[in-house]
Amino acid sequence: MEKVIGLVMAAGTDEAMKSKKSKLAQELYGKAVIKRVVDSLKKAGIEDIAVIVGENKEEIHEILKEEVTYLYQEKCLGTGHAIMQTVSYLEKQQGRVVIANGNIPLVTPETIEKLVQKAQKEQEAATVLTGIISEPTGYGRIIRQDNKIVEIIEEKELTGAQANLLEINAGLYCFEIQKLLDIIGKLEKSSMGLYYLTDVIKMLSAKGEKIGGVLVEDNTEILRLNTKVQLEMLSRILRIRINTMHMNNGVTIEDMNTTYIYDDVEIGIDTVIHPNTTIKSGVIIGEDCNIGPNAYIREGCILENKVKVGSFVEIKKAIIREGSKVPHLSYMGDCEIGTKCNIGCGTITCNYDGKNKHKTKIGDNCFIGSNVNLVAPVTLGDHVLIAAGSTITKDVPAESLGIARQRQENKEEWNKGK
């Protein structure tokens, strides 16, 4: 099978974001923008990925660590110049390379796969992802002759009627590596003093090489990120995309506009998600659960079937077994809760001693009264009842009643005349 590698262009500078972090380091639903692009390439089956960085190399390295190869572009003189800096790296490779702009975080693995498959099937020297949009401002335009792509013109270089063209360059390409290497060193500066990768298309076409295109089905995949306003728009699109996927899989979401479900969450059928609920990455929720409103379920939690997490509840690093309920106003962190338990209003697991986190274990069929503090590390056996208002600091054996509160004392006339 022909090898395919990935290159992500991430060296550009940006001022429009108005942030101490570059646009590629901005978080979109818990993941940096550059991380989303890299993850989409990986999910498309591209394992070897190099990222072209510039002055932002430390920032990008902090995000991606050692999962990619880093190539350096000292001066940002355009996309073509960026690829020029990768020649020594590409010369050691074979097959095809997918080149992606680093600021298209919503592009899906399926679209990348479609681009690669067409390039391979049609044996195209270059294959370009394109889109048709009614307001193409900000994008380079696709030039066709006899319905074949022959050129891409950057927006700054458009003349006359070219500005009215609606087919745009999405910023994702698949090149045959050797044919790209044959051309890239021959690029010349544009009138703007930049080297454009898009000029490679015209040069390959002039040599009679086959150029192909894939028209993206969903234009939201190719929206670029440059400003904080666009960041919010992309977040909204991603929220709708993820929530729609879960609803299509049998989950009831009462209000998708106020439900925030992050990536890589699993939810069983007939579970109901109430409004104003946030579920972070890696959470697993079973069938027939009831979540929210105003619940916050953090990374890595596991909720088995028929679990209820009610209003104003936060769950963190928790395993909650089948049929248990945390109805309202509680914090359950670093804990395991057995089957068919009821956690009273205002209960918290005191999991942090100022230096370390500790675990709370609750057995099956336990009833925890309201306003209880469980000071970890602590274990409750099966069929335990904890009296309301207790602060539990020691283990409670099975079938026991735990009470940890001072006996009530009334001081008569204490407030008289005050």
Side-chain angles (χ1 to χ4, degrees):
M1 182 179 291
E2 185 180 45
K3 184 177 179 181
V4 181
I5 64 170
L7 275 180
V8 182
M9 296 183 288
T13 58
D14 51 356
E15 298 178 357
M17 185 56 67
K18 304 296 183 184
S19 172
K20 293 185 288 295
K21 298 189 296 184
S22 72
K23 62 188 175 187
L24 303 186
Q26 300 294 319
E27 284 207 350
L28 177 60
Y29 254 51
K31 279 186 184 179
V33 167
I34 185 69
K35 173 69 172 166
R36 287 194 171 276
V37 176
V38 169
D39 282 356
S40 288
L41 288 169
K42 288 188 173 183
K43 290 177 182 178
I46 301 172
E47 297 179 359
D48 294 337
I49 300 171
V51 176
I52 306 164
V53 295
E55 295 178 357
N56 60 352
K57 60 181 180 180
E58 292 182 2
E59 179 184 56
I60 299 300
H61 187 273
E62 182 65 25
I63 295 167
L64 298 176
K65 309 296 184 187
E66 305 304 323
E67 63 178 294
V68 300
T69 299
Y70 295 93
L71 305 173
Y72 188 61
Q73 182 184 9
E74 184 174 357
K75 294 182 179 180
C76 293
L77 299 177
T79 53
H81 182 260
I83 305 305
M84 287 177 181
Q85 314 312 303
T86 73
V87 167
S88 59
Y89 172 77
L90 290 175
E91 286 175 339
K92 301 172 186 176
Q93 313 296 329
Q94 294 180 339
R96 296 181 187 271
V97 57
V98 172
I99 300 177
N101 289 346
N103 67 335
I104 50 171
L106 298 188
V107 67
T108 64
E110 293 76 16
T111 292
I112 297 171
E113 288 177 356
K114 188 179 294 186
L115 188 77
V116 172
Q117 289 167 2
K118 184 174 188 300
Q120 292 172 331
K121 181 180 179 180
E122 303 294 335
Q123 288 297 297
E124 295 164 344
T127 312
V128 182
L129 185 67
T130 75
I132 296 177
I133 56 179
S134 58
E135 296 292 338
T137 302
Y139 292 89
R141 308 298 202 277
I142 301 296
I143 307 298
R144 290 180 180 265
Q145 291 180 1
D146 299 325
N147 203 34
K148 295 179 180 178
I149 297 175
V150 295
E151 188 177 358
I152 301 175
I153 301 180
E154 296 291 342
E155 185 176 50
K156 294 177 181 178
E157 308 289 338
L158 293 173
T159 59
Q162 293 173 341
N164 297 322
L165 295 171
L166 300 181
E167 187 176 13
I168 57 94
N169 172 31
L172 190 72
Y173 318 82
C174 184
F175 288 99
E176 190 175 333
I177 291 175
Q178 189 54 56
K179 290 180 178 178
L180 174 62
L181 288 171
D182 291 343
I183 293 291
I184 195 69
K186 301 174 183 177
L187 286 181
E188 297 180 354
K189 281 186 178 181
S190 71
S191 61
M192 303 297 295
L194 301 173
Y195 297 92
Y196 293 130
L197 175 61
T198 48
D199 285 347
V200 171
I201 302 301
K202 181 179 180 180
M203 296 166 75
L204 286 171
S205 179
K207 290 181 63 177
E209 298 287 358
K210 195 173 183 181
I211 310 297
V214 171
L215 183 65
V216 70
E217 295 180 6
D218 180 357
N219 282 344
T220 65
E221 288 191 41
I222 59 176
L223 292 175
R224 297 175 182 177
L225 174 66
N226 293 299
T227 69
K228 287 285 180 67
V229 172
Q230 291 171 338
L231 183 64
E232 194 279 335
M233 291 174 60
L234 294 178
S235 295
R236 191 180 306 178
I237 292 165
L238 188 56
R239 180 174 72 248
I240 293 171
R241 180 190 292 181
I242 293 173
N243 289 350
T244 299
M245 179 269 292
H246 285 293
M247 288 189 288
N248 286 338
N249 289 338
V251 178
T252 298
I253 296 177
E254 290 186 337
D255 183 0
M256 72 154 57
N257 292 317
T258 63
T259 299
Y260 302 85
I261 303 174
Y262 284 55
D263 302 273
D264 306 315
V265 170
E266 298 178 23
I267 307 177
I269 62 172
D270 293 325
T271 284
V272 178
I273 311 294
H274 297 284
N276 298 314
T277 291
T278 298
I279 303 172
K280 301 299 280 291
S281 296
V283 170
I284 299 174
I285 299 175
E287 300 177 2
D288 301 299
C289 293
N290 207 297
I291 311 297
N294 302 293
Y296 180 31
I297 303 178
R298 292 165 61 179
E299 292 87 351
C301 292
I302 299 175
L303 281 59
E304 294 186 352
N305 296 339
K306 300 180 180 179
V307 164
K308 176 179 174 61
V309 174
S311 56
F312 301 103
V313 171
E314 180 175 350
I315 308 291
K316 176 248 180 187
K317 287 187 178 178
I319 299 174
I320 304 179
R321 302 297 181 190
E322 184 167 346
S324 287
K325 300 177 181 179
V326 189
H328 38 223
L329 296 165
S330 295
Y331 169 74
M332 296 283 106
D334 296 280
C335 64
E336 292 183 15
I337 301 174
T339 60
K340 298 181 180 179
C341 292
N342 188 85
I343 309 298
C345 174
T347 296
I348 67 170
T349 55
C350 306
N351 55 334
Y352 185 51
D353 64 7
K355 291 184 179 179
N356 300 301
K357 298 290 180 69
H358 301 283
K359 196 165 189 176
T360 297
K361 294 185 178 181
I362 300 174
D364 298 336
N365 296 287
C366 291
F367 185 94
I368 312 299
S370 298
N371 197 32
V372 166
N373 301 310
L374 300 171
V375 183
V378 67
T379 298
L380 312 184
D382 296 341
H383 298 280
V384 161
L385 172 63
I386 302 297
S390 295
T391 295
I392 302 298
T393 60
K394 297 178 181 179
D395 293 351
V396 181
E399 301 180 340
S400 298
L401 168 64
I403 306 175
R405 62 191 185 200
Q406 187 175 357
R407 186 179 297 276
Q408 180 174 327
E409 179 181 354
N410 296 332
K411 297 184 180 295
E412 295 184 6
E413 299 186 351
W414 174 260
N415 206 35
K416 186 176 182 179
K418 293 184 181 179

